[in-house]
Amino acid sequence: MVIPTQRMTGLCWDFGMAGLRSSFIITGPNLQWVLHLRQVSGPLASKPQPIMRIALGVLLFPASKLRLPLVPTLDGCLHRDDWLDQQAQTSASVPTSLRSCAVESQPGIFFPPGTGAEFSLQDIPRPHEEPWAFSLDLRLQLAAGSGHLLALGSPENPSWLSLQLQDQKVVLSSVSGPGLGLPLVLGITLQLKLTVSRVVLSQGTKKEILALPPMGPGSLLNLWAQTQGRLFLGALPGEASSASFCLDGLWAQGQRLDVDRALSRSQDIWAHSCPQSPGNGTDTTH
């Protein structure tokens, strides 16, 4: 076991342990992070097969075992890493979709094709009770392809109410029948206002209204009455989606949602940055 300490000095991460040092050059803000590891559980030389693992961007154990809450997510790219002046060997368990450092980025949350996140409706702001009302706001900076942007449902029926991207249009639909759409304008907030009987989809001065089925066991309100109610972002489970998009923000009842706090999410989502164009986001070579 080692105890790390770190200090900020430039554009490099230096790891030191028992006289050994390793340098990691990273892109990003013009800062240098130096991490010093101090051996506290006995010398490694006394071990039959001394093994030390250093993980970047993830933990080596479940986050639930931490004594203090932590969201162990690093959104960045590794430009070069050396250990004892040699190119470091990456574990076979590392995802193959490492981000390219050559991609210019901007603020936001990027969903590459086929990626998604899932929130429990019990973990996000509750609807107003009298009269019943719920709102979702999202602002897109980039969008390409076709597939789900978001959906309200359950694991068994994930698209009770859904908003999809289709040929640069956003299409709102429910299980009750055909949907309706609006031309997508990037950079302008899309708003969904839900009531007991209808959903209003608006962007700027344009608006469409979708009628909802009558109250009953399969109604929209029932999603909040059960523990399995979900808000899905991006591709639904099992969906072969080609949609990629950058969210500049997502709000439920006026409160911003943090994708790092999602019940589950795809590992390839960029939680804190977006490429300058959707095509660049698919270039994840390292």
Side-chain angles (χ1 to χ4, degrees), residues 132-146:
W132 192 94
F134 184 75
S135 67
L136 285 169
D137 298 81
L138 64 155
R139 189 163 54 240
L140 296 171
Q141 296 286 48
L142 300 170
S146 297

Side-chain angles (χ1 to χ4, degrees), residues 72-91:
T73 303
L74 173 66
D75 186 15
C77 71
L78 186 62
H79 183 65
R80 190 184 78 239
D81 57 287
D82 300 292
W83 177 253
L84 296 178
D85 299 323
Q86 297 182 6
Q87 184 71 29
Q89 297 299 314
T90 304
S91 168

Side-chain angles (χ1 to χ4, degrees), residues 88-141:
Q89 297 299 314
T90 304
S91 168
S93 62
V94 171
T96 57
S97 56
L98 292 175
R99 280 182 52 179
S100 170
C101 294
V103 175
E104 295 293 328
S105 62
Q106 61 181 330
I109 308 169
F110 181 60
F111 288 73
T115 61
E118 185 177 326
F119 289 88
S120 170
L121 293 183
Q122 306 299 315
D123 297 335
I124 65 176
R126 304 282 295 177
H128 292 298
E129 294 294 338
E130 293 295 339
W132 192 94
F134 184 75
S135 67
L136 285 169
D137 298 81
L138 64 155
R139 189 163 54 240
L140 296 171
Q141 296 286 48

